[in-house]
Amino acid sequence: MIARRVYGEPGTLYARCGGVFGVSAFVDRCMDKWMADKTLNSNAMVARWHQSAQRPGFKFLVVQIVCSLTGGPQAYTGRPMDQAHKHLNISEREWDAFMEIFNEIVEEFGLPSEDQDDLNALMISMMEDCVVFPGERAPP
């Protein structure tokens, strides 16, 4: 039973990604690249967050949500995605850069195409909550 909490129920995306250890390694790599990216940091609000956030805590929350969304037993304890991101005024261009990095890391980790597609679907499902689209105003 303990092994299933760590590595996941067989067949889940969580298990296919290596459970908490695989997801944590993946998120760690993504976060380092996202936080150093020039396009993402060209947004002053994002850059300020990247500079002020406690990197380990930020990574922890991202690990929680990815584990939860992929079928792991972890519960996400952070703020809802829209409350955590909309005020940052993230553009579609910035989202595209974010996803490009995400997919580079997916390739780097050598995940099978089915898992790549499933992970992309999870990320894309959060786009509406993170991006401020033309004609939309970022909340204060």
Side-chain angles (χ1 to χ4, degrees):
M1 292 299 159
I2 292 172
R4 287 201 174 169
R5 284 198 310 263
V6 173
Y7 297 105
E9 293 293 327
T12 62
L13 183 56
Y14 176 75
R16 296 191 319 260
C17 289
V20 72
F21 295 110
V23 170
S24 294
F26 179 80
V27 167
D28 184 59
R29 182 80 177 112
C30 284
M31 295 290 293
D32 286 346
K33 288 198 75 162
W34 285 329
M35 292 181 98
D37 185 72
K38 289 180 184 179
T39 300
L40 299 180
N41 286 309
S42 68
N43 176 327
M45 296 290 291
V46 170
R48 190 170 85 208
W49 171 248
H50 285 169
Q51 292 165 2
S52 67
Q54 282 190 327
R55 191 174 289 233
F58 191 17
K59 286 181 179 184
F60 173 78
L61 291 171
V62 176
V63 167
Q64 277 187 326
I65 197 166
V66 174
C67 285
S68 176
L69 292 172
T70 58
Q74 295 79 3
Y76 174 61
T77 60
R79 294 184 298 160
M81 286 293 102
D82 61 335
Q83 290 177 23
H85 293 86
K86 281 288 192 176
H87 71 283
L88 298 174
N89 202 27
I90 298 168
S91 69
E92 289 177 272
R93 181 177 140 280
E94 293 157 354
W95 178 265
D96 290 344
F98 168 86
M99 287 302 297
E100 186 176 317
I101 292 167
F102 178 81
N103 283 297
E104 285 172 13
I105 305 304
V106 167
E107 287 289 325
E108 185 180 304
F109 273 67
L111 296 172
S113 61
E114 177 186 348
D115 296 346
Q116 291 180 22
D117 292 346
D118 290 347
L119 287 168
N120 266 284
L122 288 175
M123 298 306 289
I124 291 167
S125 74
M126 292 185 269
M127 183 178 178
E128 290 282 324
D129 289 335
C130 296
V131 173
V132 175
F133 294 95
E136 187 180 4
R137 288 181 64 139

